[in-house]
């Protein structure tokens, strides 16, 4: 039976349409999902939207719409954007879905049964944009360091989850790699977070109106983070499809960025342990990117729309750039200048030019299926490097390896002066071009997860031995 691979992205807030940051994680997950499908695995790729909470209700109010109307519109924008970027997800969960609300209700009742819930008075500073409490020591000039807004003083009676009781178990899961956290520096970060006094976790809100009812107290809504994390199980049938749930859970990979590590690596496994479910197998944390050196934010007006970029440069070019430019896991910078430079150098002059060059020559002859020693060696070593990089989620290294093969093919054409061989239609010309077409087919296969549309076009040209339109017109 095929191995299953259950991969998720965070579910994105519907207070604003998708931007290049949310596209980044989603493209990365899509590339991994496509790669695993190629390997013959039974992939389930989940993404979706996080639609409850105070800051979403506020955004709706600002837009003069009801929260439901507002989130319906934004959730659709996410779906449209992912379609534009060629994201092939298996399911899209919305936290306003009935299946989610029912699953969450069941989960909360189980949590209550566990005896790990208690009521208490809570008084703390709260940042509605983070949807999280914030410690005084973490404020910068009295403001939330991320949103640059003064937090609110919240005082209400909430229900709490005895998080502290589970922290030793969570720590053990991490140190023994039963729940892998990558890259290693993030694992260290979580372990040092666990040394701090995290307190217990407040799981409900009294004043919030836009959310899911706490099943054992109709006066309260479930804290949006507690509810949102459960999307990873409600989407696969925690409440309504036990067969599928058993097949897919635990998740093989939660892909997230560094801003939400605490929720995924500490709160989530603790909640799962409390209701007797297994923790996810792996959490991979990628970095954050800035735009021209600045943090992306609505206030700065530098939010980049992935749909605009895909319209202008093509979805494949955008997918390629996002994963090639910044080493996955590290922080990096996004700029249109770098995008255009890479587009011209790697896609137009590199890959596009090689395909057009080989096809122009091969069209003039009848290539024979053949393997050439040097190229075959290059292909084999590329496949090995690529596979290792993909298993380690090092996209840029996988792409670098493919581009070295592109370079080797160019060199092969030059070294053997194939354009002269073709003039006499020699046996050597036929064989050399056969070997080059074979290399192109390999390149297309390796690039399919990253640039699926282009990979399909290359395969078609090779099959027909016929050049078609330029893959990446120079800018
Ligand atoms: N709704 C929560 C997640 C709940 S998951 C159970 C949330 N949503 S979010 O819309 O703010 O999305 C955060 C995620 O978007 C990050 O973890 C990351 O995956 C992605 N990114 C948002 N901005 C980004 C950058 N500037 N750079 C890289 N990734 C970015 O948090």
């Amino acid at each position: 039976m095929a191995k299953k691979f259950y991969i998720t992205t965070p579910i994105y807030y519907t207070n604003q349409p998708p931007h290049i940051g949310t596209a980044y994680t989603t493209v990365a997950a899509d590339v991994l999902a496509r790669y695993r499908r190629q390997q013959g695995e039974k992939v389930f790729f989940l993404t979706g939207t996080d639609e409850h909470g105070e800051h979403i209700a506020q955004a709706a109010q600002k837009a003069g719409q009801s929260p439901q109307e507002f989130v319906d519109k934004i959730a659709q924008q996410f779906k449209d954007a992912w379609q534009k970027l060629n994201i092939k997800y298996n399911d899209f969960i919305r936290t306003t879905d009935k299946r989610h609300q029912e699953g969450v209700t069941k989960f909360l009742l189980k949590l209550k049964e566990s005896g790990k819930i208690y009521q208490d008075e809570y008084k703390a500073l709260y940042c509605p944009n983070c949807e999280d409490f914030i410690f005084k020591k973490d404020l910068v000039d009295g403001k939330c360091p991320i949103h640059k807004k003064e937090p609110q003083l919240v005082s209400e009676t909430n229900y709490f989850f005895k998080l502290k009781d589970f922290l030793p178990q969570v720590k053990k899961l991490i140190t023994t790699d039963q729940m892998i956290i990558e890259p290693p520096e993030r694992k260290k970060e979580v372990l040092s977070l666990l040394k701090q006094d995290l307190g217990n976790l407040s799981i409900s809100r009294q004043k919030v109106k836009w959310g899911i009812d706490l099943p054992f107290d109709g006066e309260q809504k479930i804290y949006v983070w507690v509810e949102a994390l459960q999307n990873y199980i409600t989407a696969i049938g925690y409440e309504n499809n036990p067969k599928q749930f058993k097949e897919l859970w635990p998740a093989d990979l939660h892909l997230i960025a560094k801003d939400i590590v605490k929720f995924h690596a500490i709160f989530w496994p603790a909640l799962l342990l409390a209701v007797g479910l297994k923790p996810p197998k792996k959490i991979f944390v990628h970095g954050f990117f800035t735009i021209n050196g600045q943090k992306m934010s609505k206030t700065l007006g530098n939010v980049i729309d992935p749909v605009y970029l895909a319209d202008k440069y093509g979805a494949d070019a955008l997918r390629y750039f996002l994963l090639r430019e910044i080493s996955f896991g590290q922080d990096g910078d996004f700029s249109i200048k770098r995008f255009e430079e890479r587009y011209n150098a790697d896609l137009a002059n590199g890959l596009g030019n090689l395909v057009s060059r080989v096809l122009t020559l091969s069209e003039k002859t009848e290539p024979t299926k053949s393997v050439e020693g040097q190229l075959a060696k290059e292909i084999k070593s590329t496949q090995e490097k690529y596979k290792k990089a993909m298993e380690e989620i090092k996209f840029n290294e996988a792409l670098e390896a493919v581009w070295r093969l592109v370079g080797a093919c160019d060199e092969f054409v030059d070294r053997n002066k194939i354009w002269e061989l073709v003039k006499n239609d020699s046996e050597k010309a036929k064989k050399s071009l056969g070997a080059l077409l074979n290399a192109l087919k390999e390149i297309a296969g390796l690039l399919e997860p990253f640039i699926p549309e282009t990979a399909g076009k290359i395969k078609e040209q090779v099959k027909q031995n016929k050049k078609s339109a330029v893959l990446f017109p120079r800018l």
Side-chain angles (χ1 to χ4, degrees):
M1 214 172 70
K3 200 172 132 201
K4 68 100 183 170
F5 185 71
Y6 175 29
I7 177 171
T8 68
T9 71
I11 48 169
Y12 305 111
Y13 285 132
T14 46
N15 59 333
Q16 56 171 333
H19 54 65
I20 196 79
T22 44
Y24 184 50
T25 319
T26 314
V27 166
D30 185 58
V31 170
L32 286 174
R34 285 174 183 267
Y35 167 72
R36 297 280 177 163
R37 284 189 201 112
Q38 262 187 351
Q39 306 293 304
E41 294 180 22
K42 198 175 165 211
V43 171
F44 194 90
F45 165 22
L46 175 72
T47 189
T49 40
D50 190 354
E51 308 187 355
H52 290 129
E54 196 179 323
H55 75 290
I56 307 242
Q58 280 170 1
Q61 200 182 21
K62 243 190 181 164
Q65 288 166 16
S66 74
Q68 190 64 56
E69 255 181 303
F70 185 73
V71 296
D72 281 350
K73 201 184 69 205
I74 305 246
Q76 191 55 47
Q77 287 178 347
F78 272 94
K79 287 184 180 171
D80 293 345
W82 299 160
Q83 192 180 5
K84 185 101 211 168
L85 297 191
N86 237 323
I87 308 290
K88 234 171 113 185
Y89 52 75
N90 294 80
D91 203 349
F92 188 105
I93 179 108
R94 298 181 54 187
T95 54
T96 50
D97 284 351
K98 189 163 164 263
R99 57 178 172 159
H100 179 71
Q101 314 216 19
E102 288 175 357
V104 165
T105 304
K106 171 175 161 182
F107 190 97
L108 265 291
L109 288 171
K110 280 245 152 84
L111 207 57
K112 182 94 185 355
E113 268 169 38
S114 73
K116 298 290 181 187
I117 301 292
Y118 65 96
Q119 241 182 329
D120 205 357
E121 179 70 25
Y122 203 69
K123 210 175 189 181
L125 296 171
Y126 191 75
C127 170
N129 288 76
C130 294
E131 290 286 8
D132 196 11
F133 290 104
I134 184 164
F135 296 115
K136 223 175 183 167
K137 69 171 175 56
D138 294 326
L139 299 178
V140 176
D141 299 328
K143 292 178 180 162
C144 159
I146 301 171
H147 298 100
K148 317 267 182 269
K149 282 192 184 152
E150 277 180 25
Q152 306 163 350
L153 183 67
V154 176
S155 162
E156 55 180 41
T157 304
N158 288 164
Y159 288 83
F160 283 77
F161 165 59
K162 290 185 183 167
L163 175 70
K164 280 195 215 162
D165 290 2
F166 294 90
L167 295 182
Q169 262 171 287
V170 170
K171 186 174 167 200
K172 194 161 167 233
L173 286 174
I174 298 172
T175 50
T176 56
D177 282 342
Q178 288 175 75
M179 182 177 78
I180 300 168
I181 298 179
E182 281 182 351
E185 58 272 25
R186 295 292 167 204
K187 176 174 171 178
K188 261 201 208 146
E189 178 190 318
V190 176
L191 289 173
S192 86
L193 251 177
L194 280 167
K195 286 190 191 134
Q196 297 173 17
D197 179 17
L198 288 168
N200 281 329
L201 176 66
S202 142
I203 60 155
S204 68
R205 296 286 180 273
Q206 212 173 37
K207 295 192 182 103
V208 173
K209 294 280 163 285
W210 177 238
I212 302 180
D213 287 340
L214 192 66
F216 41 86
D217 184 340
E219 296 295 300
Q220 306 242 348
K221 298 284 182 214
I222 301 166
Y223 169 40
V224 67
W225 259 106
V226 167
E227 173 225 308
L229 286 163
Q230 291 171 53
N231 87 87
Y232 302 130
I233 59 171
T234 59
I236 56 165
Y238 172 64
E239 163 64 9
N240 57 9
N241 190 346
K243 186 168 167 274
Q244 175 174 273
F245 183 67
K246 200 164 160 242
E247 265 168 36
L248 291 175
W249 191 257
D252 295 271
L253 180 61
H254 287 326
L255 211 54
I256 59 166
K258 62 179 189 178
D259 54 337
I260 53 179
V261 174
K262 179 180 70 176
F263 300 96
H264 283 80
I266 299 179
F267 298 170
W268 182 222
L271 287 163
L272 288 164
L273 287 170
V275 300
L277 288 175
K278 286 193 181 139
K281 289 190 196 156
K282 192 193 268 192
I283 300 172
F284 190 99
V285 186
H286 68 72
F288 243 58
F289 56 72
T290 46
I291 310 292
N292 297 315
Q294 282 188 308
K295 189 185 174 326
M296 182 169 39
S297 84
K298 261 190 185 167
T299 344
L300 289 173
N302 62 352
V303 177
I304 296 189
D305 175 6
V307 174
Y308 164 78
L309 290 180
D311 277 337
K312 182 157 178 201
Y313 303 95
D316 277 357
L318 176 59
R319 291 170 63 105
Y320 171 77
F321 180 71
L322 287 175
L323 297 183
R324 176 65 187 85
E325 180 69 0
I326 300 161
S327 140
F328 204 61
Q330 308 301 310
D331 290 340
D333 191 51
F334 180 96
S335 79
I336 296 290
K337 185 166 165 276
R338 279 297 294 151
F339 185 7
E340 293 194 343
E341 279 168 8
R342 270 213 184 272
Y343 176 102
N344 278 332
D346 301 359
L347 297 175
N349 299 342
L351 178 67
N353 185 53
L354 174 73
V355 172
S356 138
R357 200 177 177 203
V358 170
L359 265 301
T360 307
L361 294 168
S362 69
E363 265 180 356
K364 297 190 178 124
T365 178
E366 274 170 36
T368 38
K369 262 203 178 127
S370 62
V371 193
E372 193 278 336
Q374 187 56 32
L375 275 184
K377 238 169 86 186
E378 295 282 353
I379 290 174
K380 189 156 183 290
S381 102
T382 305
Q383 284 167 335
E384 284 163 5
K385 282 186 197 129
Y386 174 94
K387 188 164 181 8
K388 183 170 182 289
M390 291 301 273
E391 298 294 326
E392 293 173 359
I393 320 189
K394 291 182 175 161
F395 299 115
N396 59 337
E397 289 183 16
L399 289 168
E400 257 166 46
V402 179
W403 256 261
R404 268 197 299 271
L405 180 57
V406 169
C409 289
D410 262 327
E411 216 180 277
F412 178 80
V413 176
D414 293 343
R415 197 168 3 102
N416 294 287
K417 299 201 171 66
I418 310 266
W419 58 94
E420 283 185 4
L421 299 179
V422 167
K423 279 186 204 151
N424 321 318
D425 201 17
S426 66
E427 244 347 89
K428 193 170 176 204
K430 290 181 182 173
K431 278 193 166 170
S432 303
L433 282 158
L436 279 164
L437 288 182
N438 177 52
L440 285 187
K441 207 174 97 193
E442 283 298 331
I443 289 172
L446 297 173
L447 290 181
E448 193 278 338
F450 293 90
I451 48 175
E453 206 183 315
T454 307
K457 285 185 191 161
I458 298 175
K459 279 189 181 158
E460 195 50 34
Q461 293 187 46
V462 168
K463 202 167 130 202
Q464 311 279 344
N465 190 26
K466 199 168 178 346
K467 197 176 144 185
S468 60
V470 176
L471 293 176
F472 296 100
R474 235 165 251 139
L475 298 173

